Amino acid sequence: MGIATIAPNYRGSLGYGRRFVHLDDVEKRINAVHDVYHAVRAAVEAGLVDGSRLCVMGGSYGGYLTLMSLALYPDLWACGVEIVGIVNLVTFIRNTSPYRRKYRIAEYGDLKSMAR
């Protein structure tokens, strides 16, 4: 069918232990976006996919990565599909239930330091 799927295990995802999960916390968040880019570039350079027909897609945190991938690497993608992604980390933390907020702050950052 001419369709390929790349599902990178970007830093911050589960499966490689606690240290790996925290490799994209707060100021390191952007590194997960770079992981997506490098996974796709490697596939293009290896001749596994057509670099002119790339689409990035994700939901929830993957939706955030989709939006950031489109914003930081717009010339790489032919299209993007974002599904219920985090658009703004400040409003995400602000609107998260108080009982979950303390866990999210450790991962995404504190409102006091994020809002400028």
Side-chain angles (χ1 to χ4, degrees):
M1 291 180 61
I3 297 172
T5 301
I6 300 170
N9 195 1
Y10 48 83
R11 66 192 82 205
S13 58
L14 299 173
Y16 291 109
R18 188 170 288 160
R19 182 177 174 275
F20 191 76
V21 169
H22 295 290
L23 287 177
D24 71 338
D25 286 355
V26 192
E27 72 278 351
K28 297 176 278 186
R29 174 97 15 229
I30 197 67
N31 293 329
V33 180
H34 299 318
D35 288 345
V36 173
Y37 169 80
H38 289 293
V40 171
R41 289 302 317 156
V44 170
E45 290 169 10
L48 300 173
V49 297
D50 180 350
S52 69
R53 300 174 52 199
L54 299 173
C55 180
V56 60
M57 177 180 168
S60 190
Y61 182 60
Y64 168 79
L65 289 178
T66 295
L67 293 172
M68 289 300 292
S69 294
L70 290 166
L72 293 180
Y73 303 107
D75 295 335
L76 182 62
W77 310 105
C79 68
V81 180
E82 178 271 330
I83 305 164
V84 297
I86 302 167
V87 176
N88 182 308
L89 293 174
V90 173
T91 56
F92 173 74
I93 294 293
R94 186 180 297 134
N95 295 316
T96 296
S97 299
Y99 80 95
R100 292 185 69 198
R101 188 173 296 133
K102 67 180 178 180
Y103 302 108
R104 296 299 186 200
I105 285 172
E107 185 176 357
Y108 295 112
D110 190 335
L111 281 175
K112 294 175 191 89
S113 64
M114 291 168 46
R116 296 180 189 160

